[in-house]
Amino acid sequence: MTTTLRPPATTSPPAAPVRRRPAVRRRSTPLTIAMLAALAYFLLPLFWLLVASTKSTQDLFNSFGLWFPPTPRLLANIRATFTQDDGVFVHWLLNTAVYAVVSACGAAMLAAAGGYGFAKFRFRGDRAAFNLVLGAIMVPATALAIPTYLLFAKVGLVNTPWAVILPSLVNPFGLYLMRVHAADAVPDSLLEAARIDGAGEARIFFRIALRLLAPGLVTVLLFTLVATWNNYFLPLIMLNDPKLYPITVGLSSWAQQAQNGGAGASSDMLPLVVTGSLLSVVPLVVAFLLLQRYWQSGLATGGVKQ
């Protein structure tokens, strides 16, 4: 009986651990200076507005513009702003909020529906219609203000809230943005799976596509919100009743009163105009802080396996 000896099993030596080089942070002095200059460019007007809101009329003209006065009176200016002309500033603030919120929500939904339709459906004349939308982006809104006024005057909508809301619902840039976003954010295979399961097109859009379009939807909503909140020329020619004014037109009327009521520092309306401008910025800052968490991409990751 013969036995055969098996050679001992050879084991490969353990692989040497791969050493990763620590990431080197590159710093560019010219880029840092450029970013600080851009930061100062955007924040300096807001800082001046905050400082000016703590001053009286005399301090606005006699003190250094970029620093607080010896006796700040921010609370007094805020109180005077809200009580001036029987609290008309509160009406302006509410009007602006209604105009901006309704216009932003409506424009975002219309842009989402139109962009989704252009991205996922093919129909006769779709390219021509989309090129028309691209051409409408190049038309400034002020060029359409007078024709819009004449059109609304024919149907009796002048001096009504709809004269400000309806034109703000049309957002060609938002439609273009949603079309580009929907082409990548909504997979075609996910839509086909929903159609196979028997879902209708309306249910697919509201239950599936709209959730995937949330980042672009919030982007269009914020852009329209800011544009409507800061809109001045359209409400100026559309509205005649001071109780329907938004903040922009209302503060402009106060500024005219300050110029006509006294020369330079003799007018007491200037601190109210500055303080009202500061208060009008606060809701926009709050809106950006609340909605910034929705600005994220990749909501469709994991929804479809390629």
Side-chain angles (χ1 to χ4, degrees), residues 111 114-116 118-119 122 130 174-184:
Y116 172 78
F118 276 116
R122 294 294 173 263
F130 188 69
L175 193 150
Y176 166 75
L177 184 66
M178 292 304 299
R179 192 265 184 191
V180 175
H181 184 64
D184 296 331

Side-chain angles (χ1 to χ4, degrees), residues 32-66:
T32 302
I33 296 176
M35 293 300 296
L36 291 177
L39 184 64
Y41 175 79
F42 288 108
L43 294 183
L44 191 60
L46 294 178
F47 180 73
W48 178 89
L49 192 61
L50 177 62
V51 171
S53 299
T54 63
K55 298 181 178 182
S56 62
T57 305
Q58 290 73 19
D59 292 333
L60 286 174
F61 291 93
N62 300 329
S63 63
F64 180 60
L66 293 179

Side-chain angles (χ1 to χ4, degrees), residues 52-56 73-81 271-272 275:
S53 299
T54 63
K55 298 181 178 182
S56 62
R73 44 172 300 157
L74 178 61
L75 296 179
N77 288 339
I78 293 176
R79 189 181 305 110
T81 302
L272 305 186
T275 307

Side-chain angles (χ1 to χ4, degrees), residues 86-154:
D86 298 329
V88 71
F89 182 81
V90 178
H91 291 281
W92 295 342
L93 188 64
L94 293 178
N95 294 337
T96 307
V98 171
Y99 300 157
V101 172
V102 175
S103 300
C105 294
M109 288 299 300
L110 291 177
Y116 172 78
F118 276 116
K120 297 303 176 181
F121 294 94
R122 294 294 173 263
F123 52 91
R124 182 177 299 178
D126 56 346
R127 292 185 179 181
F130 188 69
N131 291 333
L132 184 62
V133 172
L134 294 179
I137 297 176
M138 307 303 296
V139 179
T142 54
L144 301 176
I146 300 301
T148 305
Y149 172 81
L150 297 177
L151 178 63
F152 278 37
K154 290 291 185 179

Side-chain angles (χ1 to χ4, degrees), residues 23-38:
V24 179
R25 295 183 178 180
R26 299 180 179 179
R27 297 180 179 178
S28 175
T29 302
L31 182 60
T32 302
I33 296 176
M35 293 300 296
L36 291 177

Side-chain angles (χ1 to χ4, degrees), residues 145-208:
I146 300 301
T148 305
Y149 172 81
L150 297 177
L151 178 63
F152 278 37
K154 290 291 185 179
V155 295
L157 292 179
V158 175
N159 201 31
T160 63
W162 294 111
V164 180
I165 294 175
L166 291 180
S168 302
L169 296 178
V170 181
N171 191 346
F173 177 75
L175 193 150
Y176 166 75
L177 184 66
M178 292 304 299
R179 192 265 184 191
V180 175
H181 184 64
D184 296 331
V186 183
D188 294 334
S189 54
L190 187 62
L191 300 181
E192 292 297 332
R195 294 187 182 104
I196 293 174
D197 290 340
E201 296 298 335
R203 185 178 181 183
I204 292 175
F205 173 72
F206 287 104
R207 299 294 297 274
I208 299 176

